[in-house]
Amino acid sequence: MKIIETHELTKEFNGLVAVDKVTFSVERGEIFGFLGPNGAGKTTTIKMLTTLLLPTSGTAYISGFDVVREAAQVRRRIGLVPQRIVLEGDLTARENLLFHGMLYGLSRRDIEAKIPELLELVGLKERADSKVRTFSGGMKRRLELVKVLLHEPEVIFLDEPTVGLDPQTRRKIWEYIQILNRERGVTIFLTTHYMEEADYLCNRICIIDHGKILDIDTPQRLKDKIGEGDIIEMEVSGKGEKFAQALEKECGCQIKKMEENRITITARRGEYALKEIFFLADKLGVEVTSISVREPTLEDVFIHYTGRGIREELVPGSGMMKYLTRRLKQ
Amino acid sequence: MSFLRELYVVFWKEMLLWINNPMLPVVRALVFPMMWIVIFGSAFGGEVNHIPLAVVLSDTSELSIEYLNALNIGTTLDIKNTNLATAQKMLKNRKVYGILYIPEDFSKKLAAGEKVSVVLSLDETTPQISSAIVAHVTSATQSFSKNIALAENRVVVEKNTLFGRGIEYLDYLAPGVVMMTILFSALFSGGLNLIIDREFGTLTMLMVSPVSRDAIILGKIFAGVLQSITSGVVALAVAMLMGVHLKSGAAGFLLMVLLMFIAGFGFIGMSTAIGTRISELEQLMVVMMVLLMPMWFLSGGFYPIESMPDWMRPLAIVNPMTYATDAARSIMIRGIIWETLALDLVVITTFAVAMFLIGSYSFKKTLGGVK
Ligand SMILES: Nc1ncnc2c1ncn2[C@@H]1O[C@H](COP(=O)(O)OP(=O)(O)O)[C@@H](O)[C@H]1O
Ligand SMILES: [Mg+2]
């Protein structure tokens, strides 16, 4: 039996379709990721799967139990780490764990027995009796991760687990998520709008935008789908169009995108293609002002499906450019 | 897991949070009422009007009738001319605030040029009212003497207080402050708590757990009621340290706690219902200004309802705080007299049951998700 199974799961908010006929399934033991920009419907999906929100239509099963009709059974089998931290800041780490365990009917003694081991797992043993208010963002995340382990759920839902954390802390959280998955055998369903995160952690990724699933596959196969080889991005001055046509004809490159004098192409072996590109540029009297070669990322996959970047809407209009310039600088 | 255990877990966490920082919530609930006492308590001073007073005319001579007419001048008193037994019953049932007894030998003694005493028995629960009665009776007596052309005033008003000692403004104010503390504490423990829970998502923790929805609601409400009672008891203790007396000792105290419990349920229910309707702290401040402040000012907590203009009185009559304050004042000053408490207790209990139902219903509705 699949641990999560949905069929045409849909949620409407006063006419706005936040999640649109979503059908997917998750295997036991997987790390499965929902990747999509803000407002894609990730949180809404998690809320329906965790019984916090009634679906408008469609069905969802957790471990074979219907999330609407058998909510109590579902609740016993899941753990949720929401997008916003939901620890009680005025209670200590120990008290938070105690309360959580008690909510799931565990006895105080059983909980107390588990606490040291769990805190050890995420390096918080020394802080057991400090108020959670005094914890850093990363520490709170870590505490939340082990908190949901207390009642031994079959699947843990992580909604944007590293949002707002610095890169170093993010790495740490990634490690802990992998430990939970590997050593505890917990299935993980996570959502994110960081493609590096999805790429690094997930066995399979579901790309979602405007409530609709665009594709579900392993990160590698998703990247392979958009064409073989490397991605070359360049900026040229003068006769861009003609240059691009020549590239396609003479170098066997594929044009992915053309914006005035910015050209994105894919080439089978990027390093070798460079030589030909510069040769051709010389011949046509075109100046290449900047150029970069890289392997395709999930961002490219997302652009392939939607024509825009995942984080574009954060800085309207300039997201893609920022992303490219950062790439060039690296 | 049994329902009671679920209820206990929810309750336990709320109380743990509260106990972690016990001074803050109590002080928070006390600060506003105390501050207002200082600011307004001494500044208030409305005219008291239409005070019911029983007059017992043992002597029905012309002179006594004339005295009665002198008393009847103005709007301060509503004179009820009756016999002694009825008057005493009325005083006990609080239909009147006092009895003026005019002796049989009233006109005989006056005619003989002797001094005569009229006896004024007062319910001093409301000091502003009893002093207004005394002032009016005294001046009416003087003008009566002048009217019948006596050289000197030979009618002596003898005062007789019903509850033993002189009641001061603080005694009058304290019961209202206790109830206001409950009301404020309920606003914090019910409405504010709910808004914060939603704002910080801590409610989600409960919602994804298998704990039943009813246990979540009841656990939070019970915790809120216990927190409110605690604040109320602290307010009562502070008042007693400042010299306020509590009639009927331990029994009176227990009855006060029972009253706080009932009122607490009503106010927690009310503030929970409010908390489910609003989502921002600023809005809660508005609620405080437009609902809580009038609830106190129009409760007779500061100054008797009798001092309000007529158009305002209906507001006091529909205000649950009026009954809670009045019941508390009755217990603290008069002691346990069921006849005087009955109406208050019935009204406040009805209010509590209704608000508890409304509060838990609207809470359940806003929880959303799968039941
Ligand atoms: N309670 C709600 N009422 C109305 N609209 C909502 C509500 N929750 C989410 N939405 C809308 O549904 C869409 C998906 O939101 P969400 O699932 O939170 O996206 P994500 O988590 O992927 O950023 C957004 O357009 C959002 O504005
Ligand atoms: Mg989200």
Side-chain angles (χ1 to χ4, degrees):
Chain A
M1 193 198 319
K2 300 249 165 49
I3 185 109
I4 304 176
E5 210 159 3
T6 74
H7 182 70
E8 306 211 327
L9 193 62
T10 301
K11 182 71 195 181
E12 280 183 38
F13 293 112
N14 316 312
L16 172 99
V17 187
V19 175
D20 196 357
K21 294 200 180 124
V22 160
T23 303
F24 67 91
S25 60
V26 178
E27 305 284 344
R28 252 168 230 278
E30 249 190 317
I31 300 185
F32 184 88
F34 251 42
L35 175 67
N38 278 321
K42 305 184 296 293
T43 301
T44 307
T45 307
I46 280 205
K47 280 188 174 169
M48 287 191 283
L49 294 177
T50 54
T51 77
L52 292 176
L53 205 58
L54 266 172
T56 309
S57 64
T59 54
Y61 295 90
I62 304 285
S63 227
F65 293 102
D66 188 306
V67 296
V68 177
R69 282 181 290 113
E70 294 158 306
Q73 296 288 344
V74 170
R75 285 176 184 138
R76 235 164 260 144
R77 286 169 173 75
I78 60 171
L80 169 66
V81 180
Q83 198 164 339
R84 306 213 6 229
I85 289 164
V86 294
L87 297 161
E88 288 288 5
D90 283 330
L91 299 185
T92 65
R94 185 188 302 280
E95 286 167 340
N96 266 286
L97 292 175
L98 202 55
F99 172 54
H100 181 87
M102 284 164 77
L103 282 179
Y104 288 80
L106 304 176
S107 75
R108 262 174 203 252
R109 192 149 30 88
D110 288 350
I111 304 166
E112 294 279 9
K114 281 182 175 181
I115 286 176
E117 176 212 359
L118 287 179
L119 289 179
E120 179 89 75
L121 194 65
V122 287
L124 287 174
K125 206 171 172 187
E126 282 70 44
R127 303 298 300 269
D129 295 303
S130 324
K131 293 211 167 165
V132 167
R133 192 154 28 115
T134 65
F135 285 18
S136 70
M139 289 163 77
K140 286 181 189 162
R141 279 281 155 196
R142 271 140 64 190
L143 181 58
E144 289 224 68
L145 284 180
V146 285
K147 190 185 81 171
V148 293
L149 286 184
L150 257 179
H151 64 282
E152 295 175 356
E154 294 172 28
V155 52
I156 295 180
F157 294 87
L158 306 174
D159 197 2
E160 312 246 13
T162 64
V163 75
L165 299 179
D166 60 81
Q168 236 173 332
T169 316
R170 179 170 299 161
R171 283 260 157 200
K172 264 255 156 69
I173 299 288
W174 288 356
E175 270 167 44
Y176 289 126
I177 291 174
Q178 285 180 324
I179 289 174
L180 300 195
N181 177 248
R182 285 202 205 114
E183 292 178 14
R184 297 270 171 155
V186 194
T187 309
I188 299 207
F189 179 105
L190 66 85
T191 75
T192 182
H193 65 274
Y194 300 123
M195 68 246 149
E196 310 95 318
E197 183 163 289
D199 204 353
Y200 184 84
L201 282 175
C202 298
N203 302 116
R204 283 192 308 137
I205 292 169
C206 169
I207 299 182
I208 182 168
D209 190 31
H210 295 307
K212 285 199 176 73
I213 292 182
L214 303 177
D215 204 350
I216 306 179
D217 221 324
T218 64
Q220 193 52 53
R221 277 209 292 265
L222 283 173
K223 285 182 276 188
D224 286 346
K225 276 181 193 173
I226 61 164
E228 283 168 68
D230 296 321
I231 292 186
I232 302 174
E233 289 155 329
M234 61 192 125
E235 236 172 285
V236 297
S237 61
K239 300 186 206 157
E241 205 131 326
K242 212 168 154 199
F243 178 53
Q245 282 164 6
L247 278 174
E248 206 163 15
K249 227 191 264 163
E250 296 185 28
C251 307
C253 302
Q254 263 191 319
I255 308 245
K256 281 273 145 199
K257 213 170 167 191
M258 245 321 306
E259 262 174 14
E260 294 174 44
N261 50 1
R262 301 168 155 279
I263 304 169
T264 308
I265 60 172
T266 54
R268 204 171 286 268
R269 293 170 70 187
E271 311 90 89
Y272 296 100
L274 280 180
K275 226 164 116 188
E276 294 179 47
I277 290 168
F278 280 114
F279 178 75
L280 206 59
D282 266 353
K283 208 168 103 183
L284 293 175
V286 171
E287 198 191 340
V288 179
T289 50
S290 72
I291 189 158
S292 74
V293 183
R294 58 177 176 84
E295 290 182 355
T297 65
L298 287 174
E299 180 85 12
D300 300 307
V301 177
F302 192 81
I303 293 168
H304 171 75
Y305 278 111
T306 65
R308 64 193 161 82
I310 273 190
R311 273 179 278 181
E312 228 164 75
E313 58 269 64
L314 289 181
V315 190
S318 68
M320 190 63 197
M321 209 167 119
K322 265 196 174 159
Y323 173 56
L324 285 179
T325 31
R326 210 177 58 222
R327 281 277 155 189
L328 285 170
K329 277 181 194 154
Q330 273 172 6
Chain B
M1 197 167 36
S2 76
F3 181 74
L4 276 182
R5 167 138 174 115
E6 290 181 353
L7 193 77
Y8 165 72
V9 175
V10 178
F11 178 82
W12 171 79
K13 193 263 292 187
E14 294 297 324
M15 290 314 289
L16 188 64
L17 270 177
W18 195 74
I19 284 165
N20 254 338
N21 212 338
M23 278 322 282
L24 183 72
V26 174
V27 168
R28 204 168 47 177
L30 273 173
V31 153
F32 288 96
M34 288 296 176
M35 201 173 71
W36 289 341
I37 287 180
V38 173
I39 297 172
F40 301 111
S42 42
F44 261 64
E47 278 278 311
V48 188
N49 271 315
H50 298 297
I51 308 165
L53 177 77
V55 174
V56 180
L57 286 181
S58 310
D59 171 31
T60 48
S61 66
E62 240 170 76
L63 267 180
S64 324
I65 302 291
E66 188 139 346
Y67 182 48
L68 187 64
N69 290 340
L71 287 168
N72 245 330
I73 290 168
T75 55
T76 312
L77 298 182
D78 280 348
I79 303 281
K80 309 207 187 302
N81 190 353
T82 177
N83 62 38
L84 189 60
T86 319
Q88 273 163 348
K89 210 164 158 195
M90 285 171 94
L91 186 61
K92 201 170 179 191
N93 292 341
R94 306 176 53 205
K95 296 276 189 292
V96 294
Y97 282 96
I99 304 172
L100 183 63
Y101 181 79
I102 298 164
E104 288 166 33
D105 49 6
F106 183 76
S107 51
K108 217 157 78 190
K109 277 192 170 169
L110 278 181
E114 286 175 42
K115 279 201 173 185
V116 62
S117 294
V118 294
V119 183
L120 188 56
S121 305
L122 289 172
D123 174 347
E124 283 209 301
T125 313
T126 314
Q128 300 91 326
I129 288 183
S130 32
S131 59
I133 295 176
V134 171
H136 184 86
V137 171
T138 310
S139 81
T141 306
Q142 273 161 2
S143 53
F144 164 73
S145 299
K146 223 180 267 167
N147 287 353
I148 59 168
L150 289 178
E152 48 163 355
N153 180 16
R154 276 191 266 116
V155 184
V156 181
V157 180
E158 247 178 52
K159 261 204 303 182
N160 198 351
T161 57
L162 205 57
F163 300 105
R165 55 190 206 90
I167 301 295
E168 286 164 19
Y169 188 54
L170 197 59
D171 296 280
Y172 175 80
L173 203 56
V177 172
V178 170
M179 281 304 147
M180 193 59 191
T181 307
I182 305 256
L183 181 59
F184 259 84
S185 178
L187 184 78
F188 293 128
S189 299
L192 181 66
N193 191 310
L194 198 61
I195 293 170
I196 290 178
D197 256 9
R198 266 196 319 223
E199 183 71 21
F200 291 98
T202 38
L203 203 55
T204 314
M205 206 158 28
L206 294 168
M207 299 291 294
V208 286
S209 80
V211 167
S212 85
R213 313 294 104 166
D214 289 334
I216 296 175
I217 295 164
L218 289 181
K220 281 186 173 288
I221 288 181
F222 286 156
V225 171
L226 184 57
Q227 292 166 9
S228 301
I229 293 178
T230 312
S231 303
V233 169
V234 170
L236 183 59
V238 169
M240 288 171 78
L241 284 177
M242 289 166 74
V244 172
H245 280 251
L246 176 59
K247 192 122 179 184
S248 316
F253 181 79
L254 286 181
L255 192 58
M256 277 298 282
V257 173
L258 178 70
L259 179 67
M260 292 185 206
F261 180 77
I262 300 170
F265 253 98
F267 295 146
I268 284 281
M270 187 179 83
S271 90
T272 302
I274 293 168
T276 59
R277 298 263 166 258
I278 62 182
S279 53
E280 276 154 33
L281 288 177
E282 290 78 25
Q283 288 173 305
L284 199 71
M285 287 293 132
V286 175
V287 168
M288 217 166 85
M289 299 308 278
V290 303
L291 188 71
L292 261 59
M293 305 266 277
M295 271 179 82
W296 196 24
F297 291 133
L298 299 177
S299 70
F302 277 131
Y303 221 76
I305 292 165
E306 286 75 3
S307 69
M308 289 179 191
D310 288 344
W311 63 266
M312 213 185 244
R313 288 192 195 195
L315 293 176
I317 289 167
V318 298
N319 179 4
M321 266 297 271
T322 305
Y323 302 90
T325 303
D326 194 68
R329 188 172 292 141
S330 281
I331 295 168
M332 288 176 70
I333 297 179
R334 295 192 184 89
I336 304 170
I337 304 172
W338 293 110
E339 292 97 313
T340 63
L341 280 172
L343 174 70
D344 288 339
L345 289 181
V346 167
V347 172
I348 199 75
T349 307
T350 311
F351 169 75
V353 171
M355 279 303 156
F356 170 69
L357 292 177
I358 293 172
S360 43
Y361 172 76
S362 50
F363 194 174
K364 192 158 191 171
K365 248 180 83 178
T366 51
L367 278 182
V370 185
K371 293 297 167 280

